[in-house]
Amino acid sequence: MAVRFSASPAPKSRRRNASIIAIGAMAAVAALVATPGLATASPPSRSATEPASTTALAPQFHTATAQHSNKCLDVSGASLADGAQLIQWPCNGQANQDFILVPTGGGYHFVIARHSGQCLDVRGGSLANGAQIIQWPCHGGANQQWRRQNIGAVSLLIARHSNKCVFVSGASHANGAQIVQWSCLFAALAQRWRIS
């Protein structure tokens, strides 16, 4: 698919339609990941004569591991609550450490927690360094859209609204260290994530 860039913004109707489509897709994925057992169910078998296009693809879940600590991005306590804090925690393979990336356009994605179906969100749409990264019901705002910038085998996760990076607060190695946004420092290992 070719991407076209223009100097003028898209007409409001086209931007609104794109937003509606992105939010609809995001809601469908959120419903899928939040339905117990559904996201992990085996895909239906199909006969050799059935067209491949009728079989739905299972969502691909990812973990994000901080390069400096080798600990995973984690929704604290596997909470289902709106506003639950994102932390780093030893990788354990649980659903609160799994995320699905849903494209929103322009290289940005919603990052949706598998266990809750909620989006990673910069609390209150803050532009400040140190603003908490939480889970929040997906609403399509720019503070819930993230871009991956690859640096070799690792990536920075950059918030659309602030252009700031996901960061382990204080570059801590401690279990439970808060995840916040911070001005992107390309040499900061606590902002580099292995996405697998």
Side-chain angles (χ1 to χ4, degrees):
M1 179 171 99
V3 177
R4 293 183 338 176
F5 294 95
S6 66
S8 61
K12 284 186 181 180
S13 62
R14 192 165 62 200
R15 286 192 312 247
R16 185 175 31 252
N17 289 343
S19 294
I20 290 169
I21 291 167
I23 291 170
M26 176 183 59
V29 171
L32 173 67
V33 299
T35 304
L38 184 58
T40 57
S42 299
S45 61
R46 63 179 172 91
S47 70
T49 59
E50 183 181 348
S53 62
T54 62
T55 303
L57 296 175
Q60 184 175 1
F61 294 98
H62 301 274
T63 58
T65 307
Q67 186 178 22
H68 78 293
S69 66
N70 208 36
K71 294 181 180 175
C72 280
L73 187 64
D74 179 289
V75 178
S76 184
S79 176
L80 298 174
D82 298 354
Q85 176 69 46
L86 271 286
I87 61 171
Q88 73 173 0
W89 196 258
C91 300
N92 58 31
Q94 298 299 311
N96 64 312
Q97 293 183 347
D98 285 346
F99 302 90
I100 187 167
L101 306 177
V102 178
T104 65
Y108 288 89
H109 296 82
F110 295 114
V111 179
I112 301 173
R114 179 179 188 173
H115 78 292
S116 67
Q118 294 193 40
C119 283
L120 265 62
D121 179 291
V122 177
R123 185 181 291 278
S126 176
L127 299 174
N129 281 340
Q132 294 178 329
I133 307 297
I134 59 172
Q135 72 174 6
W136 194 258
C138 301
H139 55 68
N143 65 316
Q144 292 187 340
Q145 297 181 44
W146 305 90
R147 175 174 55 89
R148 283 177 64 176
Q149 181 167 333
N150 294 330
I151 303 173
V154 295
S155 300
L156 301 176
L157 297 173
I158 302 170
R160 183 175 211 148
H161 78 293
S162 65
N163 207 36
K164 294 187 177 182
C165 286
V166 172
F167 177 66
V168 178
S169 186
S172 175
H173 286 78
N175 292 346
Q178 288 191 352
I179 306 301
V180 299
Q181 75 173 359
W182 202 268
S183 296
C184 297
L185 308 166
F186 292 92
L189 299 182
Q191 290 183 338
R192 294 182 180 198
W193 301 88
R194 284 188 305 277
I195 311 294
S196 57

